[in-house]
């Protein structure tokens, strides 16, 4: 059964742990290393739905910060997120702070 990467585990830590776990199944060190690299790459490709959603939220937060206007021209509890056209002129688009 393939070894799975643990949360927060670096590539070197994973390879080291995998090499010791797979020692009996793959006695040749080069082959064992290749198998562990393969396991690592597979786990990096397969992100859980939770991880994909988290990454998407982080990207949205990054984009949102780029569109904020400083200094904040809106009322307290609101922040400017880009601009909009109102009555023929460009004004800050104030949205509630989450």
């Amino acid at each position: 059964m393939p070894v799975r990467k643990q949360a927060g585990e670096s590539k070197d830590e994973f390879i080291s742990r995998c090499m010791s776990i797979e020692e009996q199944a793959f006695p040749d060190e080069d082959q064992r290393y290749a198998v562990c690299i393969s396991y690592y790459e597979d786990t990096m490709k397969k992100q859980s739905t939770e991880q994909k959603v988290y990454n998407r939220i982080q990207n949205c937060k990054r984009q949102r910060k780029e569109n904020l206007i400083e200094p904040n021209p809106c009322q307290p509890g609101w922040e400017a997120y880009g601009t909009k056209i109102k009555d023929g002129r460009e004004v800050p688009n104030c949205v509630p702070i989450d």
Side-chain angles (χ1 to χ4, degrees), residues 32-59:
R32 188 167 63 243
Y33 181 77
V35 168
C36 290
I37 290 291
S38 175
Y39 289 165
Y40 181 80
E41 289 172 353
D42 285 348
T43 58
M44 294 308 291
K45 287 179 188 174
K46 296 177 185 175
Q47 287 185 339
S48 68
T49 302
E50 181 179 313
Q51 185 63 38
K52 288 178 185 176
V53 169
Y54 176 79
N55 289 340
R56 185 89 182 245
I57 289 170
Q58 294 305 314
N59 286 338

